[in-house]
Structures are given as C-alpha cells and as structure tokens.
Amino acid sequence: MLLFSVAGISIALDQWSKWWVRENIEFGGQWLPESLAWLSPYARLVYWHNSGAAFGIFQNGNLIFTALAFVVVGAILFYFPRVEDNDWTLKLAMGLQLGGAVGNLIDRLLMQRVTDFISIGVFPVFNLADASISVGVAVLLLGVWLKEREEKMKAAQVESSETAPEGMKEG
C-alpha cells in the first residue's frame, strides 16, 4: 500500500503541476507571483519541454527513455514485494522513484516530451517527477547509510561482549 500511496501522490502532484504550467504560462515564458519577485534571479516557474532525461540531459532520447521508464517501473514492481517489512527507507525511495518514472512516462507517451517548469539558479529546468526521483535516490542513500551504521553498531556490541573478561560477559 505504501508503494502505491507514495507513487500516486507523486504522480498526481506532478501531472497537476505540469497541466497548470501548460495552461497558465506560454511556452518559453516564465512566471513568479509579484510578492516573490525578489526570487526571480534565483527561482521561477518557466514552461519548457524536454525530450531527454532528468534535468535536460541527453536530449532527443525520448524513445530510449520511454523504454527505460517501463524497465524501471517493472523492476520496482517486481522487487518491492521482496523488500523487508521494516525497511521503510527503501520502500519510500521506491515509491518516490516509481511516481517520478510514471509521471514523466505519462508525458512521453501522450506528448512525446516531458514538461519541465522549475528553474532554480543556473540549474537545468526540471519538474516534480524529476524531483521525486532525485529525492527517492537521496532517501535510498540515507537508508543504506542508516543500515550500515546500525550493522556496525551491532558488530561493535558483539565484539565488545566477546572480548570482555569472563565474569563480565552477558548471558
């Protein structure tokens, strides 16, 4: 249930935000509320298309990235049931990555390109699906780090109990 909840929220927000941009900003144009005009050099909404990968890399690779998205979706759906119940970081990461992959896949299938609109500084323009994938990767890395940290702490506890004097050993 977590997989489809996280992915569903991600897809819904991504598709709604792209729809809003397409309806309210002309292609190549930009928008920022007047009250936030001071952010304009650093952040704004723009309407742009992308036929490549996240953040505008590998342009004109729509067919390749469409096929890759299907592979990613299939891999996540196959692997998710095999994830340990208590591995919430991996489950959350997979939900975010599934949502991002499907969000951009919808654009690729319906329009043969992805709508991008978030512009921050000199960073390439991106969308919520790209952000979902990136946050999913960050959560995955955090989960791996937490798991390694936990295993190191357990190993240290075992080692310290094995090297303790005979009278001080547990159990």
Side-chain angles (χ1 to χ4, degrees):
M1 191 66 175
L2 177 66
L3 178 70
F4 295 115
S5 297
V6 171
I9 291 168
S10 176
I11 294 164
L13 289 173
D14 175 67
Q15 289 299 300
W16 176 83
S17 62
K18 289 173 180 175
W19 167 83
W20 187 91
V21 166
R22 288 189 298 264
E23 292 293 317
N24 293 287
I25 304 173
E26 73 178 54
F27 182 74
Q30 58 182 316
W31 178 82
L32 195 63
E34 285 186 35
S35 62
L36 299 176
W38 60 274
L39 278 176
S40 184
Y42 313 107
R44 62 202 167 280
L45 298 181
V46 300
Y47 178 13
W48 200 249
H49 293 148
N50 175 7
S51 61
F55 310 114
I57 59 175
F58 306 119
Q59 286 300 304
N60 301 317
N62 194 56
L63 185 60
I64 293 166
F65 292 111
T66 298
L68 185 59
F70 277 111
V71 170
V72 167
V73 168
I76 290 171
L77 293 175
F78 174 80
Y79 187 66
F80 190 84
R82 291 154 181 77
V83 175
E84 294 176 17
D85 287 339
N86 65 345
D87 197 347
W88 65 270
T89 55
L90 181 55
K91 289 182 174 194
L92 177 60
M94 292 173 81
L96 289 166
Q97 292 166 351
L98 178 64
V102 171
N104 280 340
L105 180 60
I106 291 169
D107 282 17
R108 290 184 193 287
L109 292 173
L110 296 178
M111 298 179 295
Q112 289 70 55
R113 62 189 181 274
V114 174
T115 298
D116 287 334
F117 60 92
I118 302 170
S119 177
I120 299 176
V122 296
F123 198 73
V125 179
F126 62 100
N127 59 47
L128 292 181
D130 297 337
S132 184
I133 292 167
S134 298
V135 170
V137 169
V139 169
L140 176 66
L141 293 173
L142 173 66
V144 168
W145 178 76
L146 289 172
K147 197 169 203 166
E148 285 180 1
R149 185 171 164 232
E150 181 182 324
E151 288 172 4
K152 284 180 184 177
M153 290 174 68
K154 285 181 183 177
Q157 288 175 343
V158 168
E159 185 178 306
S160 69
S161 70
E162 289 175 353
T163 58
E166 193 63 36
M168 300 197 55
K169 286 187 179 179
E170 293 179 23

